Amino acid sequence: NPHLPRACLRKAWALKEMGRFDQAYTALTKGLVDNPGVKELEEEIVYTQKLVQEFETFEGWLARREYGKVKSALSSMKLTIIRAVIMEGQSDLGLGNADDAIVALNTKVLSIDITNAAALELLAQAHFQNGDLNETIQAAKKARRYQGKSSNLETYEGVQMAILDGRSGVYQKNFEKAIQAYTSAIDRTAQLPPKAGLRLVLFTERAHAYLCYNKLEESLKDSKEVVTWDKGSVAAWTSRVKAFQALRDYSSIARELGPVVGKLGNTFLQDAYQESFDPPNHVDLYKLFGVARNASVQEIKQQYKVKARESHPDRFMGHTEYERKEAEEKFKLLGEAVELLSDSFQRDLYDAGHDVGAIRVQAS
């Protein structure tokens, strides 16, 4: 007997579990017609009407990207129905919490129904946000298998190829090619939250490519995008500090690294932070040549020849633009230092603690 109240209730529960609230409501009202006055059916109709209204509200919030409202409401309701899990996953992605979406989709939907294409599509989006492109493409292909299409599979494969091209460009020292590839990938991921793992990886790698291409301001802009959201990114901080060093902006290194350098645990960054308080215009020129403060001019000039050979720009042909620039700067500094220490007047001022820049002004 399909009109039994209990059968109507169970059918409605199953339909709601699948997210088909309208069909559940229809089954319940039909059951109430056949079984007038049954309190359980009346109560379930009221509850289903409420669900329909609430989920219409949630859909509106999602359309307006009010993800926090959706997440808060669904979390408080503690619903296990698939439609609620998927909708909460959408809000997690909007908030940049891809890991939460991945766990919920795997444990609450796909562990029960591995063929749920909507969950697979959302799982692909979550892995994409995290930057796990192999997992992304695998999930998207499953979604295509079960529903005949996957709206984003080509985008995922295109981003993966762009990243491979970018890394290949850096390896081959074709930095212009690398920058173009990373820019293409960044443009394709513009819809992701700013703190999405994939976005941070792309900006980190493009910052490095810009640095090697001697586009220092562009490198600083990209690394800033990363450390704003992930203050523990050693790779982004390394590119950022090297760009500041090339620009001789040591005050920025001291200011920005100060609050985080202890947590990063990286020797290069720790050394750069310490050196930022003793930048090149205050450098220990005797230490630069590896001689004592009472070394003779002859000893200093001998050490100059050794150090100048080590950092001569001609030795860095074939290296990155940044490395060549760094060698040029050091070579220039050595020349200025040997000139200063070979002049008794300038050396006396330096030994008395005067600033190198001020000494040059006086000497001129």
Side-chain angles (χ1 to χ4, degrees), residues 1 22 74 79 131 136 144 200 203 205 283 299:
N1 184 353
D22 292 338
L74 287 172
L79 297 174
T136 298
R144 172 171 286 185
L200 299 184
F203 278 108
E205 295 192 14
V283 72
E299 289 175 308

Side-chain angles (χ1 to χ4, degrees), residues 17-87:
E17 190 71 26
M18 298 166 69
R20 301 175 185 176
F21 298 145
D22 292 338
Q23 292 179 35
Y25 179 76
T26 300
L28 288 167
T29 53
K30 190 173 186 299
L32 189 60
V33 169
D34 294 334
N35 302 275
V38 177
K39 188 176 180 180
E40 284 182 293
L41 288 172
E42 292 174 345
E43 291 176 346
E44 198 65 27
I45 287 174
V46 172
Y47 176 64
T48 303
Q49 284 179 318
K50 183 181 177 183
L51 277 181
V52 170
Q53 293 170 354
E54 288 176 331
F55 273 77
E56 285 177 351
T57 300
F58 299 158
E59 292 286 359
W61 287 345
L62 284 175
R64 295 192 296 273
R65 299 186 178 184
E66 298 178 34
Y67 303 116
K69 286 185 177 181
V70 180
K71 177 70 175 178
S72 177
L74 287 172
S75 296
S76 65
M77 294 172 71
K78 301 186 184 303
L79 297 174
T80 60
I81 58 178
I82 290 174
R83 185 175 175 184
V85 175
I86 290 177
M87 193 171 283

Side-chain angles (χ1 to χ4, degrees), residues 27 91 134 136 142 172 183 185 204 221 233 235 240 250 257 338:
S91 66
N134 289 331
T136 298
K142 285 181 180 179
Q172 297 169 359
T183 300
T204 298
K221 184 178 179 181
S233 175
R240 189 162 183 78
Y250 300 99
L257 269 185
V338 73

Side-chain angles (χ1 to χ4, degrees), residues 120-163:
L120 286 167
E121 281 279 15
L122 197 60
L123 182 67
Q125 292 174 33
H127 283 306
F128 186 63
Q129 190 174 114
N130 272 353
D132 300 326
L133 292 175
N134 289 331
E135 294 287 342
T136 298
I137 293 171
Q138 183 179 357
K141 285 182 175 178
K142 285 181 180 179
R144 172 171 286 185
R145 184 187 313 153
Y146 295 128
Q147 70 179 0
K149 63 178 181 178
S150 176
S151 56
N152 296 312
L153 180 57
E154 286 72 23
T155 297
Y156 301 148
E157 292 176 333
V159 169
Q160 185 181 53
M161 184 58 66
I163 291 174

Side-chain angles (χ1 to χ4, degrees), residues 95-97 129 192-200 225 229-230:
L95 295 169
N97 301 325
Q129 190 174 114
L192 295 180
K195 69 175 183 178
L198 179 58
R199 294 279 289 177
L200 299 184
E225 186 75 23
W229 298 102
D230 181 10

